[in-house]
């Protein structure tokens, strides 16, 4: 077994100007729940044991990051519907030049959208094929 098989991502901090607003936004789109506060963090638990721990940072601008979520094909349409109901534009590409469209990368479907602090979120039904 390689060393890489022994290392797993457990959690990552996601900076937000309002941790509750951002955590509830993402959890709502993905069909998840926000966990109980843990110190200064507000977690969104993902299905693979990883948490996104929202951390409120009000003293400086939030630098947008990219977060990609592998989601079940049968739940993708519901996520798109929740984006539309929330008035959030989604895009087929990470540069946000193809509004209201999804992509068909690697035989799946995917879309990009901004969270309340400008993080570029991605939902995709197939993982990227790496060389």
């Amino acid at each position: 077994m390689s060393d890489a098989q022994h290392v797993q991502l457990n959690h990552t901090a996601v900076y937000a100007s309002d941790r509750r607003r951002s955590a509830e936004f993402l959890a709502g789109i993905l069909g998840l729940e926000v966990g109980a506060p843990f110190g200064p963090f507000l977690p969104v638990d993902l299905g693979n044991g990883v948490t996104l721990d929202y951390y409120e940072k009000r003293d400086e601008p939030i630098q947008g990051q990219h977060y990609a979520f592998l989601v079940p094909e049968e739940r993708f349409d519901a996520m798109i519907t929740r984006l539309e109901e929330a008035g959030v534009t989604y895009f087929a590409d990470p540069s946000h030049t193809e509004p209201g469209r999804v992509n068909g990368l690697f035989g799946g479907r995917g879309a990009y959208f901004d969270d309340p602090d400008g993080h570029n979120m991605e939902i995709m039904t197939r993982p990227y094929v790496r060389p």
Side-chain angles (χ1 to χ4, degrees), residues 3 5 19 23 35 71 88 104 111 114 117 121:
D3 288 339
Q5 292 173 320
R19 70 180 189 168
V71 303
V88 176
D114 282 343
D117 285 299
M121 303 300 194

Side-chain angles (χ1 to χ4, degrees), residues 13-130:
V14 180
Y15 293 134
S17 58
D18 179 329
R19 70 180 189 168
R20 175 142 319 267
R21 178 187 68 178
S22 292
E24 287 178 354
F25 169 80
L26 183 67
I29 297 302
L30 298 179
L32 302 173
E33 293 185 17
V34 175
F38 180 72
F41 302 105
L42 191 60
V44 174
D45 294 312
L46 305 177
N48 59 346
V50 175
T51 61
L52 296 182
D53 294 336
Y54 279 87
Y55 179 79
E56 207 157 290
K57 190 173 185 180
R58 293 185 177 196
D59 56 345
E60 59 188 83
I62 305 297
Q63 170 134 10
Q65 300 292 317
H66 173 66
Y67 299 91
F69 304 94
L70 185 60
V71 303
E73 174 67 42
E74 62 273 9
R75 294 189 180 173
F76 185 85
D77 288 332
M79 292 175 192
I80 294 295
T81 297
R82 287 192 286 269
L83 286 167
E84 291 171 343
E85 289 172 349
V88 176
T89 303
Y90 57 90
F91 302 84
D93 62 309
S95 298
H96 294 195
T97 63
E98 300 178 56
R101 296 182 54 205
V102 300
N103 65 54
L105 296 175
F106 306 105
R109 295 188 296 159
Y112 299 82
F113 59 95
D114 282 343
D115 86 339
D117 285 299
H119 293 299
N120 190 11
M121 303 300 194
E122 177 183 6
I123 52 175
M124 59 187 188
T125 62
R126 293 274 199 295
Y128 290 167
V129 176
R130 304 205 185 266

